[in-house]
CSV table of all heavy atoms in Angstrom, one decimal:
chain,number,residue,atom,x,y,z
A,122,ALA,N,86.6,103.8,20.3
A,122,ALA,CA,86.0,104.9,19.7
A,122,ALA,C,86.9,105.6,18.6
A,122,ALA,O,88.1,105.6,18.8
A,122,ALA,CB,85.6,106.0,20.7
A,123,GLU,N,86.3,106.2,17.6
A,123,GLU,CA,87.1,106.7,16.5
A,123,GLU,C,87.6,108.1,16.9
A,123,GLU,O,86.9,108.9,17.4
A,123,GLU,CB,86.2,106.8,15.2
A,123,GLU,CG,87.0,107.2,14.0
A,123,GLU,CD,86.2,107.1,12.7
A,123,GLU,OE1,85.1,106.5,12.8
A,123,GLU,OE2,86.7,107.6,11.7
A,124,VAL,N,88.9,108.4,16.6
A,124,VAL,CA,89.5,109.6,17.0
A,124,VAL,C,90.2,110.1,15.7
A,124,VAL,O,91.0,109.3,15.0
A,124,VAL,CB,90.5,109.5,18.1
A,124,VAL,CG1,91.2,110.8,18.4
A,124,VAL,CG2,89.9,108.9,19.3
A,125,ALA,N,90.0,111.4,15.3
A,125,ALA,CA,90.7,112.0,14.2
A,125,ALA,C,91.6,113.1,14.7
A,125,ALA,O,91.1,113.9,15.5
A,125,ALA,CB,89.7,112.4,13.1
A,126,SER,N,92.8,113.3,14.1
A,126,SER,CA,93.7,114.4,14.4
A,126,SER,C,94.4,114.7,13.2
A,126,SER,O,94.4,114.1,12.1
A,126,SER,CB,94.6,114.0,15.6
A,126,SER,OG,95.4,112.9,15.2
A,127,SER,N,95.2,115.8,13.3
A,127,SER,CA,96.0,116.3,12.1
A,127,SER,C,97.4,116.8,12.6
A,127,SER,O,97.4,117.4,13.7
A,127,SER,CB,95.3,117.3,11.4
A,127,SER,OG,96.1,118.0,10.4
A,128,SER,N,98.4,116.6,11.8
A,128,SER,CA,99.7,117.1,12.2
A,128,SER,C,99.8,118.6,12.1
A,128,SER,O,100.7,119.3,12.7
A,128,SER,CB,100.8,116.5,11.3
A,128,SER,OG,100.5,116.8,9.9
A,129,THR,N,98.8,119.2,11.4
A,129,THR,CA,98.8,120.7,11.3
A,129,THR,C,97.9,121.4,12.3
A,129,THR,O,97.8,122.6,12.3
A,129,THR,CB,98.3,121.1,9.9
A,129,THR,OG1,96.9,120.6,9.7
A,129,THR,CG2,99.2,120.5,8.8
A,130,SER,N,97.3,120.6,13.2
A,130,SER,CA,96.5,121.2,14.3
A,130,SER,C,96.7,120.5,15.6
A,130,SER,O,97.0,119.3,15.6
A,130,SER,CB,95.0,121.2,13.8
A,130,SER,OG,94.1,121.5,14.9
A,131,ASN,N,96.4,121.2,16.6
A,131,ASN,CA,96.5,120.6,18.0
A,131,ASN,C,95.2,120.0,18.4
A,131,ASN,O,95.0,119.6,19.6
A,131,ASN,CB,97.1,121.6,19.0
A,131,ASN,CG,96.1,122.7,19.3
A,131,ASN,OD1,95.2,122.9,18.5
A,131,ASN,ND2,96.3,123.3,20.5
A,132,LEU,N,94.2,120.0,17.5
A,132,LEU,CA,92.8,119.6,17.8
A,132,LEU,C,92.6,118.1,17.4
A,132,LEU,O,93.2,117.6,16.5
A,132,LEU,CB,91.8,120.5,17.2
A,132,LEU,CG,91.8,121.9,17.5
A,132,LEU,CD1,90.7,122.7,16.8
A,132,LEU,CD2,91.7,122.1,19.0
A,133,LYS,N,91.7,117.5,18.2
A,133,LYS,CA,91.3,116.1,17.8
A,133,LYS,C,89.8,116.1,17.8
A,133,LYS,O,89.1,116.8,18.6
A,133,LYS,CB,91.8,115.1,18.8
A,133,LYS,CG,93.3,114.9,18.8
A,133,LYS,CD,93.8,113.7,19.6
A,133,LYS,CE,93.6,114.0,21.1
A,133,LYS,NZ,94.2,112.9,21.9
A,134,LEU,N,89.2,115.3,17.0
A,134,LEU,CA,87.8,115.1,16.9
A,134,LEU,C,87.5,113.6,17.3
A,134,LEU,O,88.0,112.7,16.7
A,134,LEU,CB,87.2,115.4,15.5
A,134,LEU,CG,85.7,115.4,15.3
A,134,LEU,CD1,85.1,116.5,16.1
A,134,LEU,CD2,85.4,115.6,13.8
A,135,VAL,N,86.6,113.5,18.2
A,135,VAL,CA,86.3,112.2,18.8
A,135,VAL,C,84.8,111.9,18.8
A,135,VAL,O,84.0,112.7,19.1
A,135,VAL,CB,86.8,112.2,20.3
A,135,VAL,CG1,86.6,110.8,20.9
A,135,VAL,CG2,88.2,112.6,20.5
A,136,ILE,N,84.5,110.6,18.4
A,136,ILE,CA,83.1,110.1,18.5
A,136,ILE,C,82.9,109.7,19.9
A,136,ILE,O,83.6,108.8,20.4
A,136,ILE,CB,82.9,109.0,17.5
A,136,ILE,CG1,82.9,109.5,16.1
A,136,ILE,CG2,81.5,108.3,17.8
A,136,ILE,CD1,82.6,108.4,15.0
A,137,VAL,N,81.9,110.3,20.6
A,137,VAL,CA,81.6,109.8,22.0
A,137,VAL,C,80.2,109.2,22.1
A,137,VAL,O,79.8,108.8,23.2
A,137,VAL,CB,81.8,111.0,23.0
A,137,VAL,CG1,83.2,111.5,23.1
A,137,VAL,CG2,80.9,112.2,22.6
Side-chain angles (χ1 to χ4, degrees):
E123 188 171 349
V124 181
S126 61
S127 169
S128 60
T129 61
S130 170
N131 69 340
L132 300 180
K133 294 189 290 186
L134 187 63
V135 183
I136 290 179
V137 295

